[in-house]
Amino acid sequence: MTKHQKTALWAAALLGICISAAVYFLTDPGQHETLQWAQELRAEDIVSAELAVMPQAAEKQYRAFSAEEIPAVAALLNTSRGRHVSQPEALAGGAVTLYVTTADGVRHTVSNEGNAYLYIDGDAYKPGYSWLAAWPYTEGNQPLPEGFFDDPPEPEAAGTGVMAGDRFYTKKWSIRVLGGWEKLGYFGWEPSTDVGSFFGVGRYRDLDGTIASWKAIGETVEELDGYYRCVRVQADQDDHVESYLYPVPDSGDYYEVYFCWRNKARRESDAAQIALEQKQLKLMAESFQMTDEVNSLTVLPLTGYEAYDALLARIADARAFDERDTDAFSYELLGGSYQTVGWTLRDLDGDGTPELLCGGDWGDGYTPIFNLYKLENGEAVQLLYGWARNRYWLCPDGTIANIGSSGASETIYSYYRYADGKLKLLESVKYFWTEEDVSPWYYSDTSDEFWTEQPDGSWGRNPAFHRISERKAEQIQKKYEDSVTLDYAPFEGERGEL
């Protein structure tokens, strides 16, 4: 062998060693944690499994797996294989990706990249074309959810609610919403499986009072790590309800994340899906977080009176973020499909300072009042609180009329005059049917309380009311049947979808 031949032989051997080393370092044969996780994953550890296929027709880009389908997802991942690749080749093809959320709250991603690589939580493997090509999941059964690939927004950008990934964000709070849960109404969701489940988020007043009232009726309230949990309706009843209460910092308020199953028979017939949703709901409820903006309030100069402006800001804020501040104002002001709500100023007693009226427009010129406020020592003081079945209206002569009904057999009509900072009763007519051939109508000009406590401690008819004829009752009502159409200005701020 010549000198040149020996040199060439050594060069070839060295090249082979370099190639082998390169292959070794680029495809590490050692067992990696991500691959081991996939191989050992159990179906019962999965809380949610989703599929995203890109590119694909819009209606076939996404799928949320049901309880019956999750074992097959786990079985596929258990067969994961391949040599780890530290520097995978960049591919321009499509990907089929499984998003698997486990009971510890971690959302894992397992992706088939162009039948060339298997990616598990960012680690790349080479399992071979035949294994990847045999994947059973190549298309979804619905469009990709809005915001599925989006990054979390800043609180101000979130406004009254956007989805980003598997989390729903508002300016004040956020919560995970796992695959298969569809938004309904405002801050509420239900599963596409239609097994009667539901969960929602709302803000309420008086956390201590709520807990005390639940305990007083025998409910068990658990104090956990920064929140409370209560099963308010037992599972053997028709509805199973659980509540998670999160105290709002520097406030007596709280957020309630609540969920329920509305139908016992359906719960029993879909036991596997309900068991999965129980795990999902627990994970979602425990994921609730508040932002630094949770107590923020934007006060706009709308009325020329600071106290009224602050109250209107609270109403607008509650409407935007579904905060059930129903002590400060009527829940009717939070909106509804049958009315347009708003506010107006009107000097009811002619003293030069207007009162604040909040109510709804029911159409045909009828604008009931639900709340009335006056200014007193710089504060907005509530004078009346109404709702759809206990509403007020303003008559042309300045009388404030009220109709309150608790059913077909009992209705009261009361009429007031506002003067000297008070609502003064003019007269009250009560309809209370008890028996045939006896007038069900009663009258009083001194009280609007038909039922009062009797000397023996029981409740009975107030002696201030005496029986009148139906004709007399109709004559009184007719005096106040006309109403002033109030021009309500809409509450400022975003309302979102209803």
Side-chain angles (χ1 to χ4, degrees), residues 226-259:
Y227 62 96
Y228 300 84
R229 176 180 176 271
C230 178
V231 179
R232 291 192 287 122
V233 181
Q234 298 303 316
D236 59 351
Q237 298 184 25
D238 193 51
D239 283 0
H240 175 83
V241 181
E242 293 189 25
S243 293
Y244 289 71
L245 309 182
Y246 288 86
V248 177
D250 304 317
S251 167
D253 297 0
Y254 65 96
Y255 278 98
E256 180 182 4
V257 181
Y258 56 94
F259 54 85

Side-chain angles (χ1 to χ4, degrees), residues 187-322:
F187 295 134
W189 291 263
E190 67 180 0
S192 56
T193 52
D194 188 30
V195 294
S197 304
F198 168 86
F199 90 93
V201 179
R203 181 167 173 166
Y204 301 86
R205 301 271 165 180
D206 193 12
L207 173 63
D208 293 340
T210 297
I211 292 175
S213 66
W214 289 358
K215 287 182 176 180
I217 60 174
E219 304 288 6
T220 300
V221 181
E222 302 175 78
E223 184 173 1
L224 302 170
D225 186 14
Y227 62 96
Y228 300 84
R229 176 180 176 271
C230 178
V231 179
R232 291 192 287 122
V233 181
Q234 298 303 316
D236 59 351
Q237 298 184 25
D238 193 51
D239 283 0
H240 175 83
V241 181
E242 293 189 25
S243 293
Y244 289 71
L245 309 182
Y246 288 86
V248 177
D250 304 317
S251 167
D253 297 0
Y254 65 96
Y255 278 98
E256 180 182 4
V257 181
Y258 56 94
F259 54 85
C260 71
W261 294 273
R262 301 188 182 97
N263 185 286
K264 181 181 178 182
R266 184 172 288 180
R267 293 200 304 269
E268 294 172 347
S269 64
D270 295 291
Q273 186 64 33
I274 287 294
L276 176 65
E277 289 173 8
Q278 282 182 318
K279 293 191 291 186
Q280 292 176 342
L281 287 163
K282 181 177 184 296
L283 190 152
M284 291 188 291
E286 292 178 347
S287 76
F288 182 83
Q289 295 178 351
M290 285 171 268
T291 73
D292 293 339
E293 301 292 324
V294 68
N295 286 320
S296 65
L297 191 65
T298 302
V299 179
L300 301 175
L302 299 174
T303 68
Y305 300 90
E306 291 184 2
Y308 286 162
D309 289 343
L311 177 63
L312 292 177
R314 289 176 65 183
I315 296 173
D317 203 56
R319 286 169 51 79
F321 296 100
D322 203 31

Side-chain angles (χ1 to χ4, degrees), residues 410-422:
E410 189 169 0
T411 303
I412 192 164
Y413 305 84
S414 298
Y415 308 99
Y416 307 87
R417 178 74 64 178
Y418 179 69
D420 301 324
K422 297 179 181 180

Side-chain angles (χ1 to χ4, degrees), residues 429-443 450 461 466-473:
V429 176
K430 176 75 173 184
Y431 173 84
F432 180 60
W433 188 93
T434 55
E435 56 184 303
E436 296 285 355
D437 302 324
V438 176
S439 174
W441 294 97
Y442 298 82
Y443 176 84
F450 186 74
R461 179 167 63 87
H466 62 271
R467 201 184 300 270
I468 61 174
S469 67
E470 181 175 357
R471 182 181 178 184
K472 180 64 174 177

